[in-house]
């Protein structure tokens, strides 16, 4: 079996496992729709109070569609890869996983991407319907959509790398929950999941856009609702930087972790 | 007799919780990391709203200080519920795997046994964080402090009843773990936002299906402006939710089938 087909098979198995529990997929989608509803009421009140048509370059429909997208993208990644790795370490099945004829990080990456697909499709369908009913449509562009997908793909790889590194910490630390929480909250604060980065005060916005958290899902969502090429190049260059940093870190931590596992007898 | 039985259950609950915390404290580093990690996790949420209210200082009469009071109440009531009754969040999993058997053979309430079977150590961090926020929440009189203590207890009990109802749906729907977890997150989601922004059908949802109104909005209003009518509302809702929770759980328990799984309780 070629290498690509091997990891595609892993992705396919995880896709069908995810689809098998439709109640779980549906519940995530419905929670996204509920959040869109909450945001619509919250931001409608704020825009009415401000009396302005657009704030930070975004109209109310753009804000709501943007939040729907970031929530849909982020919600699709559950359960976190870090928890799966932690469970493998605690149960000892890590020994079997490492002995398989697959490269462990790629194995988990393929599984991660396979699990995301049904969730993201349902989230976007239900969340999109909610946004359409609550605030109406916005002007989509082909360029924004395609380049947004490009940023989203690499955003997911970046998210995987960060969660993978956190998961590998379980090779050394008994309980990695604190790290998962801190990362999740960093996503919430700087990932545009509650407050779009464009609405941040200028000084904070400039710093936020340089962090990896903004380049997970917000960059893609922002580009899809309001496309401009310079923003794409700016976001992608920051994304590439963090992909390099976390990619190298993941490689280094994984190699170190393998030695740790070998010392303890596997 | 009812009072005597209730006192016995309360004493047993305290003993179970004490044992759970003592057990967790055997791993000091992990214990401290969970508590501190959760405090940092909660602090990040406040940062989002700090940035939001810098941009939009007042929202239908709701200010940042109201959000601090809201967070103080919700983190403490959630914390108390998870310290003393964390096990209730596992009920759906026990049901789907047929793991309730060991609880059925003991001469104590099955629901109580399930609820006290686990203690969430990170919830200590939630409770501490809520107490840290208290001086900044605009509480300045002893009646407000006493009202605060009262509403926190009632809202924690309402939260527990809500979780009992949702988790008990697993008796009727089978694999319901993730849907139950998503429903809890949906409720928690409502408690994060300025309560003055909800209106219409969404407000109706917070009064009924996802009772954020009684867990968040009413407690905040009661502490700000103590009124007997609001206290009666929260008391009556607690009573109704307790009766409904008992009804749903007992109806579901009659349908329960063992999974023939051998499990060890340690």
């Amino acid at each position: 079996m070629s290498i690509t087909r091997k990891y595609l098979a892993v992705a396919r198995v995880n896709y069908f496992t995810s689809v098998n529990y439709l109640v779980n997929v549906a519940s995530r989608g419905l929670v996204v729709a509920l959040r869109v509803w909450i945001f619509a009421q919250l931001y409608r009140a704020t825009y009415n109070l401000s009396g302005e048509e657009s704030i930070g370059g975004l109209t109310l429909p753009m804000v709501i569609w943007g939040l729907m997208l970031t929530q849909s993208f982020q919600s699709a990644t559950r359960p976190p890869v870090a928890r799966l790795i932690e469970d493998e370490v605690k149960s000892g099945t890590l020994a079997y996983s490492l002995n398989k004829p697959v490269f462990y990080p790629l194995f988990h990456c393929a599984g991660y991407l396979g699990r995301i697909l049904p969730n993201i499709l349902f989230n976007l369908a239900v969340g999109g319907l909610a946004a359409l009913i609550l605030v109406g449509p916005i002007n989509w562009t082909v360029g924004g959509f395609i380049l947004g997908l490009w940023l989203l793909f690499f955003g997911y790889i970046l998210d995987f790398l960060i969660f993978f590194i956190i998961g590998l910490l379980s090779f050394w630390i008994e309980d990695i929950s604190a790290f998962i929480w801190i990362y999740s909250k960093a996503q919430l604060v700087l990932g545009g999941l509650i407050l779009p980065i464009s609405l941040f005060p200028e000084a904070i916005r400039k710093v936020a856009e340089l962090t990896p958290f903004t380049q997970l899902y917000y960059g893609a969502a922002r580009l899809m609702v309001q496309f401009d090429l310079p923003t794409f190049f700016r976001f992608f260059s920051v994304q590439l930087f963090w992909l390099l940093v976390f990619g190298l870190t993941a490689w280094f931590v994984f190699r170190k972790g393998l030695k740790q596992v070998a010392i303890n007898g596997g | 007799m009812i009072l005597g039985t209730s006192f016995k259950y309360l004493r047993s609950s305290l003993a179970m919780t004490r044992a759970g915390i003592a057990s967790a404290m055997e791993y000091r580093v992990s214990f401290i990391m969970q508590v501190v990690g959760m405090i940092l996790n909660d602090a990040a949420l406040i940062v989002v709203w700090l940035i939001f209210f810098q941009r939009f200082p007042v929202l239908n009469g709701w200010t940042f200080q109201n959000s601090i009071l809201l967070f103080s109440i919700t983190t403490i009531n959630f914390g108390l519920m998870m310290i003393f009754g964390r096990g209730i969040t596992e009920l759906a999993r026990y049901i789907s795997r047929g793991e309730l058997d060991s609880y059925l053979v003991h001469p104590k309430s099955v629901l109580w046994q399930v609820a006290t079977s686990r203690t969430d150590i990170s919830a200590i961090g939630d409770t501490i964080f809520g107490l840290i926020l208290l001086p900044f929440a605009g509480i300045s009189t002893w009646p407000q402090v006493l009202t605060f203590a009262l509403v926190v207890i009632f809202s924690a009990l309402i939260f527990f009843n809500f979780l009992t109802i949702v988790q008990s749906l697993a008796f009727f729907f089978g694999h319901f773990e993730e849907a139950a977890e998503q429903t809890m997150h949906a409720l928690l989601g409502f408690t994060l936002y300025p309560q003055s922004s909800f209106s219409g059908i969404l407000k109706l949802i917070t009064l009924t299906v996802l009772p954020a109104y009684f867990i968040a909005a009413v407690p905040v209003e009661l502490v700000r402006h103590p009124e007997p009518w609001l206290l009666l509302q929260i008391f009556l809702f607690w009573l109704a939710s307790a009766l409904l929770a008992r009804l749903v759980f007992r109806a579901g328990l009659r349908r329960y089938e063992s999974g023939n799984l051998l499990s060890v309780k340690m």
Side-chain angles (χ1 to χ4, degrees):
Chain A
M1 187 183 264
S2 75
I3 292 173
T4 315
R5 280 175 62 191
K6 187 161 58 177
Y7 294 106
L8 273 175
V10 170
R12 197 164 51 242
V13 165
N14 278 269
Y15 170 83
F16 284 114
T17 306
S18 202
V19 165
N20 207 32
Y21 295 103
L22 273 178
V23 170
N24 296 335
V25 174
S27 64
R28 277 191 217 105
L30 290 172
V31 168
V32 168
L34 190 63
R35 285 180 187 153
V36 170
W37 199 356
I38 293 171
F39 290 139
Q41 292 213 345
L42 176 69
Y43 286 101
R44 185 166 279 124
T46 56
Y47 270 71
N48 285 344
L49 279 170
S50 75
E52 293 181 48
E53 186 85 12
S54 137
I55 302 174
L58 297 177
T59 61
L60 175 64
M62 283 171 161
V63 166
I64 301 307
W65 277 95
L67 287 168
M68 185 282 291
L69 289 170
T70 52
Q71 288 281 340
S72 296
F73 298 154
Q74 192 263 357
S75 169
T77 63
R78 295 298 178 258
V81 168
R83 284 281 182 227
L84 299 177
I85 297 173
E86 186 188 37
D87 288 345
E88 282 184 352
V89 171
K90 283 183 173 173
S91 66
T93 54
L94 179 71
Y96 302 109
S97 302
L98 290 175
N99 277 334
K100 286 197 170 81
V102 290
F103 185 45
Y104 187 72
L106 280 182
F107 170 75
H108 270 290
C109 186
Y112 169 85
L113 292 174
R115 280 192 303 277
I116 283 172
L117 197 52
N119 292 310
I120 199 174
L121 291 174
F122 193 85
N123 289 349
L124 287 174
V126 177
L129 185 63
L132 192 65
I133 293 169
L134 291 164
V135 295
I138 57 172
N139 294 325
W140 301 95
T141 60
V142 173
F145 185 72
I146 292 172
L147 293 178
L149 279 180
W150 177 272
L151 285 182
L152 180 63
F153 176 75
F154 286 105
Y156 274 134
I157 299 297
L158 185 57
D159 180 55
F160 166 77
L161 287 171
I162 297 173
F163 261 134
F164 185 71
I165 292 167
I166 293 173
L168 290 178
L169 292 178
S170 58
F171 284 25
W172 291 273
I173 299 170
E174 177 75 24
D175 191 333
I176 57 169
S177 298
F179 297 98
I180 294 175
W181 298 330
I182 289 168
Y183 174 53
S184 298
K185 284 305 165 292
Q187 283 186 357
L188 197 76
V189 177
L190 297 171
L193 288 169
I194 292 182
L195 182 66
I197 307 298
S198 302
L199 298 186
F200 277 30
E202 186 67 17
I204 303 176
R205 183 186 61 76
K206 283 180 178 169
V207 173
E209 285 181 355
L210 293 174
T211 66
F213 315 108
T214 307
Q215 304 311 330
L216 296 171
Y217 317 114
Y218 176 75
R222 164 67 173 73
L223 216 64
M224 286 179 182
V225 301
Q226 191 183 43
F227 173 65
D228 65 278
L229 212 49
T231 303
F232 165 74
F233 285 120
R234 194 170 83 243
F235 282 170
F236 188 50
S237 56
V238 175
Q239 220 181 32
L240 272 182
F241 171 75
W242 288 114
L243 279 166
L244 196 63
V245 167
F246 284 107
L248 289 171
T249 307
W251 173 255
F252 175 73
V253 174
F254 179 61
R255 300 307 301 178
K256 271 275 201 192
L258 276 184
K259 290 175 187 166
Q260 175 82 5
V261 167
I263 288 168
N264 291 336
Chain B
M1 186 174 156
I2 293 175
L3 273 176
T5 308
S6 303
F7 182 70
K8 278 185 195 167
Y9 272 105
L10 184 63
R11 208 171 52 185
S12 301
S13 300
L14 287 171
M16 293 283 283
T17 304
R18 202 165 38 240
I21 293 174
S23 168
M25 283 185 79
E26 288 297 308
Y27 302 96
R28 289 289 163 96
V29 174
S30 175
F31 181 90
I32 291 167
M33 277 181 63
Q34 285 194 67
V35 172
V36 173
M38 187 48 77
I39 292 173
L40 292 174
N41 175 68
D42 291 339
L45 280 172
I46 288 282
V47 168
V48 175
W49 293 108
L50 181 64
I51 298 172
F52 179 92
F53 281 102
Q54 268 193 346
R55 191 88 200 210
F56 311 104
V58 183
L59 185 64
N60 294 340
W62 189 276
T63 63
F64 181 58
Q65 193 174 58
N66 296 139
S67 280
I68 292 184
L69 176 58
L70 174 71
F71 269 77
S72 182
I73 290 170
T74 53
T75 48
I76 295 177
N77 73 27
F78 177 80
L80 289 177
M81 202 281 302
M82 293 295 262
I83 289 170
F84 292 103
R86 163 73 167 90
I88 197 64
T89 62
E90 301 288 323
L91 178 60
R93 189 172 66 83
Y94 292 157
I95 293 166
S96 71
R97 296 186 190 187
E99 290 177 1
L100 274 186
D101 302 29
S102 58
Y103 298 111
L104 295 174
V105 298
H106 288 110
K108 269 205 169 352
S109 158
V110 174
L111 183 59
W112 175 84
Q113 287 182 77
V114 169
T116 56
S117 63
R118 294 184 65 165
T119 295
D120 190 348
I121 299 305
S122 65
I124 297 173
D126 284 312
T127 311
I128 291 172
F129 181 73
L131 291 170
I132 290 171
L133 285 182
L134 216 46
F136 306 98
I139 295 176
S140 52
T141 65
W142 277 110
Q144 281 183 310
V145 172
L146 290 172
T147 309
F148 182 91
L150 203 59
V151 298
V152 152
I153 291 168
F154 272 117
S155 54
L157 290 171
I158 290 170
F159 197 175
F160 177 81
N161 294 335
F162 170 79
L163 287 178
T164 302
I165 294 165
V166 168
Q167 294 277 336
S168 298
L169 293 178
F171 283 120
F172 306 95
F173 295 115
H175 285 286
F176 202 70
E177 300 98 291
E178 178 133 6
E181 190 185 337
Q182 290 297 324
T183 311
M184 182 181 78
H185 287 303
L187 173 63
L188 286 173
F190 269 109
T191 62
L192 290 179
Y193 301 96
Q195 301 296 297
S196 60
S197 52
F198 301 137
S199 62
I201 299 175
L202 203 58
K203 179 90 180 204
L204 192 62
I205 290 174
T206 69
L207 284 165
T208 53
V209 180
L210 296 172
Y213 179 74
F214 296 98
I215 291 172
V218 169
V220 168
E221 194 52 35
L222 253 175
V223 172
R224 286 173 62 198
H225 307 111
E227 266 186 52
W229 165 234
L230 285 176
L231 194 57
L232 184 65
Q233 270 187 33
I234 205 171
F235 174 78
L236 288 174
F237 191 84
W238 161 71
L239 197 61
S241 64
L243 290 170
L244 184 62
R246 188 179 157 90
L247 197 73
V248 172
F249 180 76
R250 292 184 88 165
L253 196 57
R254 279 194 284 275
R255 295 165 56 97
Y256 173 71
E257 285 178 10
S258 169
N260 293 322
L261 180 73
L262 285 174
S263 63
V264 177
K265 271 176 61 182
M266 297 172 72

